[in-house]
Amino acid sequence: MEHTFIMVKPDGVQRGLVGEIISRFEKKGFYLKGMKLMKVDRKFAEKHYADLSAKPFFKSLVEYIISGPVVAMIWAGKNVVTTGRKIIGATNPSESAPGTIRGDFAVEVGRNVIHGSDSVENAKKEIALWFPDGAVNWESSLRPWISE
Ligand code: DAT
Ligand code: MG
């Protein structure tokens, strides 16, 4: 089963959106396979966003991610990487459709509430970084009602 890395960013935690976000992934039919509240340090945040290190907003992005606790999660399910990105919405909340998390709860690209892996390959890398012990191995008893 496909896995993705989802993180509620510090603004999402401070604004009390953790439950709402978990609920949207649960109700869709995805399975929670790992979750922890943690505060990451600068080195760790820079590693997570290493691909963006040349961008002009890199420093402020890292400051934002280390500004408070985040909720790191592993979600599993059919096409969870691509569908997870659709649930999250476009990077810039000005362009995120209503009904998406960013479309419903954010106005600013630098405070866009949530992160989601953008490819299966990056999901593997991000899960390895954030969850060195891997996912929790369990199967939902609802699975036959969600998947053929
Ligand atoms: P996403 O988070 O949708 O995968 P990304 O990987 O391109 O987007 O960028 C990571 C984060 O960096 C993004 O969630 C918010 C911030 N960011 C991206 N583009 C930005 C910009 N033009 N100005 C300020 N922050 C930006
Ligand atoms: Mg990204």
Side-chain angles (χ1 to χ4, degrees), residues 113-125:
V113 173
I114 182 167
H115 165 86
S117 308
D118 63 5
S119 66
V120 172
E121 193 194 339
N122 282 334
K124 282 185 184 141
K125 278 191 213 163

Side-chain angles (χ1 to χ4, degrees), residues 32-49:
L32 184 59
K33 293 286 180 96
M35 179 164 73
K36 54 190 174 182
L37 178 80
M38 57 196 287
K39 239 187 134 181
V40 298
D41 63 20
R42 186 175 302 274
K43 268 223 166 73
F44 189 96
E46 285 173 353
K47 203 167 177 192
H48 171 74
Y49 280 123

Side-chain angles (χ1 to χ4, degrees), residues 69-94:
V70 300
V71 174
M73 294 179 277
I74 302 171
W75 285 90
K78 188 175 185 180
N79 287 323
V80 69
V81 172
T82 301
T83 306
R85 294 279 294 187
K86 286 182 186 161
I87 290 171
I88 289 170
T91 302
N92 190 330
S94 306

Side-chain angles (χ1 to χ4, degrees), residues 49-71:
Y49 280 123
D51 291 351
L52 299 173
S53 62
K55 299 281 185 191
F57 56 82
F58 182 68
K59 197 164 179 282
S60 63
L61 174 62
V62 169
E63 291 290 347
Y64 162 46
I65 294 304
I66 68 176
S67 65
V70 300
V71 174

